[in-house]
Amino acid sequence: MKKYIVLLFISLLGFAQQTPAPKQNKSILIIGAKAHLGNGEVIENSLISIIDGKIATIGDATLMKPAKHDIIIEAAGKHVYPGFIAPNSTLGLVEIDAVRASDDESEIGEFNPHVRSIIAYNTESVVTETTRPNGVLLAQITPRGGRISGTSSIVQLDAWNWEDAIIKENDGIHLNWPRSYSRTGWWAEPGGIEANKNYEPQIKTIQDYFDNAFAYLNTKNSKKDIPFEAMKGIQNGEKKLYIHVNGEKEIIDAVLFKKKNNIKNMVIVGGYYAFKVATLLKENNVAVLLKRVHDLPLLEDEDVNLPYKNAKLLVDAGVLVGLENAGDMERMQTRNLPFYAGTCAAWGLSKEQALQLITENTAKILGIDNQYGTLESGKSATLFISEGDPLEMKTNVISFAFIDGRQISLQSHHTELYERYKGKFEQQKK
């Protein structure tokens, strides 16, 4: 059996990532598309000039006279969007779950702030290239496991190596908050819910670790402690603290932890019951990267549609919200990120509000909104042209995509299989 797994691994590695696009060396003009800026605004008939990887000009084509460009893309009847952003992702950290050598998403130990996911990021992952034809062009590469999983970094998804891919290195530390309860049984025969007797001691262990780390950072030490060194920047806001938590009580305790430790930038990841304490989150400037939308309720007596409504409940309360995709088959399902936003639009948000969940809002949460997340003059030309609405499976057909002005390949193993079997059925018709 092991022999066949190794052969499968080798055969999959034989299908390598598409060659990264070279640096933009010709000016590009996109004319006539409906531009969805990612901030809630729309330009019906747009003109977008891309020079040296940046958006040089964007505006109404009827009011502007374009300068001469090397490449002109006539996009009347089509749509332009900023590249979608996948936060809390393990793209490039695991290729084949059954092959341990290809799994780099977690390390042993409980407190690993010094573990940097970026150095394990594989730019040649065949999974990563399946996200780009759906407009997902950026991702936050995030470790898993332990109480403190490690440090994430943000990348663009068309690069030769992890150094080339980096947009923002070591953006934040990820803390898995303990649960105040535990479930008994298993999925086929679920039991009841019991209180976690170790909940308070587990929180104390976290607090003790932070106390020791901050004490270390505030004194001169002859001996360097690498994990504590990695905690530098959490108190002053240079790094974000991402707390992975879903329960109402746990979210309240996480906010109290933020206040007690004077942590400037904290983000709730998951946040299934965040809507119950939305006022508290807004008052404390805590954003939420919301749990996967295409999911079942956590409790059997809840509204079955709650996962779909969750984003609107938080947006209406004034909380900054983005969408994340952690869970089963999370790397393969990253390509579905725009459809999660589409579901949020079907359950109360406008299409432009839903778009913000995977563009501007996520860029703000990750701290990259100065260059990404919206279509604006001076920002990175990371965008794509779609034949229709990319938040809908049926009309999400992307014809062009650019990362930092570089026109990237939209080919993948999926598209190769499509063309192969399309040819087969065309042969059968003859």
Side-chain angles (χ1 to χ4, degrees):
M1 184 64 182
K2 290 182 179 178
K3 177 182 177 181
Y4 293 118
I5 291 174
V6 171
L7 288 174
L8 173 63
F9 184 43
I10 292 171
S11 66
L12 284 175
L13 287 180
F15 181 79
Q17 176 76 294
Q18 296 294 320
T19 301
K23 185 177 180 180
Q24 182 190 5
N25 57 15
K26 293 183 178 180
S27 58
I28 301 170
L29 186 67
I30 303 172
I31 301 178
K34 184 175 182 179
H36 304 258
L37 306 188
N39 59 5
E41 298 179 13
V42 174
I43 302 175
E44 293 292 336
N45 181 11
S46 69
L47 180 150
I48 303 174
S49 170
I50 303 174
I51 300 174
D52 294 331
K54 303 284 186 182
I55 298 175
T57 307
I58 182 168
D60 191 329
T62 61
L63 303 176
M64 304 172 69
K65 186 176 181 180
K68 188 176 180 180
H69 284 68
D70 299 315
I71 299 171
I72 297 177
I73 300 175
E74 297 285 353
K78 300 180 181 180
H79 303 259
V80 178
Y81 292 84
F84 298 152
I85 308 167
N88 187 35
S89 171
T90 53
L91 276 174
L93 297 184
V94 182
E95 196 66 6
I96 303 172
D97 292 291
V99 179
R100 188 173 181 181
S102 75
D103 187 338
D104 287 316
E105 69 177 355
S106 63
E107 292 289 345
I108 61 172
E110 283 295 295
F111 292 90
N112 297 313
H114 58 299
V115 170
R116 300 169 62 240
S117 60
I118 189 62
I119 62 172
Y121 174 62
N122 174 23
T123 56
E124 294 196 354
S125 169
V126 297
V127 180
T128 298
E129 69 180 13
T130 66
T131 71
R132 300 188 314 224
N134 279 4
V136 181
L137 306 181
L138 307 173
Q140 180 193 40
I141 308 305
T142 307
R144 297 282 187 259
R147 186 61 68 199
I148 294 182
S149 303
T151 300
S152 58
S153 292
I154 303 162
V155 301
Q156 51 87 0
L157 300 180
D158 183 66
W160 287 103
N161 50 54
W162 65 264
E163 292 97 333
D164 294 339
I166 288 175
I167 288 172
K168 187 174 183 181
E169 190 171 5
N170 303 332
D171 71 291
I173 287 173
H174 293 256
L175 167 63
N176 297 302
W177 198 261
R179 292 181 179 180
S180 62
Y181 64 91
S182 60
R183 297 175 184 270
T184 59
W186 61 303
W187 69 267
E189 296 181 11
I193 296 177
E194 298 179 352
N196 176 11
K197 297 178 182 179
N198 294 318
Y199 180 66
E200 294 301 332
Q202 287 169 343
I203 291 179
K204 184 178 184 305
T205 300
I206 295 171
Q207 184 62 61
D208 289 345
Y209 189 86
F210 274 71
D211 287 343
N212 291 335
F214 293 155
Y216 167 87
L217 293 171
N218 291 329
T219 57
K220 292 184 178 180
N221 299 278
S222 57
K223 186 178 180 181
K224 180 176 285 191
D225 187 296
I226 294 176
F228 285 169
E229 288 284 340
M231 297 287 285
K232 190 180 296 181
I234 287 292
Q235 275 191 307
N236 63 15
E238 289 179 6
K239 283 184 183 176
K240 284 185 167 60
L241 178 63
Y242 296 91
I243 297 188
H244 297 240
V245 58
N246 281 303
E248 179 183 1
K249 172 178 171 51
E250 291 90 333
I251 292 172
I252 293 172
D253 289 342
V255 173
L256 294 175
F257 179 81
K258 172 188 185 295
K259 295 171 72 173
K260 179 179 179 179
N261 293 280
N262 195 29
I263 295 169
K264 296 291 188 296
N265 290 323
M266 191 184 91
V267 177
I268 296 295
V269 181
Y272 183 79
Y273 290 112
F275 70 92
K276 293 187 175 183
V277 291
T279 301
L280 178 68
L281 296 175
K282 187 175 186 304
E283 288 174 350
N284 288 276
N285 196 31
V286 176
V288 176
L289 289 172
L290 193 59
K291 186 179 185 288
R292 185 187 292 175
V293 172
H294 291 179
D295 207 348
L296 294 172
L298 291 184
L299 299 176
E300 61 184 16
D301 59 347
E302 288 178 340
D303 180 359
V304 71
N305 298 315
L306 180 57
Y308 311 149
K309 301 174 181 177
N310 226 333
K312 178 173 170 54
L313 295 172
L314 289 169
V315 169
D316 287 351
V319 177
L320 183 62
V321 185
L323 300 182
E324 59 103 8
N325 178 55
D328 293 339
M329 302 286 288
E330 64 180 83
R331 289 165 294 282
M332 288 63 105
Q333 292 207 47
T334 304
R335 63 182 183 269
N336 292 330
L337 183 68
F339 309 138
Y340 301 157
T343 298
C344 293
W347 287 87
L349 293 179
S350 70
K351 276 290 177 69
E352 300 308 319
Q353 284 178 313
L355 177 65
Q356 286 177 274
L357 300 178
I358 54 177
T359 55
E360 182 184 42
N361 288 9
T362 300
K364 285 182 177 179
I365 292 170
L366 301 184
I368 59 172
D369 55 304
N370 63 327
Q371 284 296 317
Y372 299 92
T374 56
L375 302 179
E376 296 180 53
S377 296
K379 286 193 174 183
S380 168
T382 297
L383 52 89
F384 63 88
I385 301 173
S386 177
E387 304 292 321
D389 184 350
L391 305 190
E392 295 182 359
M393 289 185 184
K394 195 172 183 179
T395 62
N396 181 14
V397 179
I398 295 176
S399 49
F400 295 91
F402 302 88
I403 293 179
D404 296 329
R406 300 176 297 114
Q407 185 179 344
I408 66 170
S409 169
L410 294 174
Q411 298 300 307
S412 70
H413 191 42
H414 290 179
T415 59
E416 287 202 354
L417 289 175
Y418 171 78
E419 292 298 332
R420 177 184 176 187
Y421 287 99
K422 178 182 175 183
K424 173 187 175 183
F425 291 117
E426 286 175 349
Q427 289 174 9
Q428 291 176 348
K429 290 179 182 178
K430 295 178 181 180

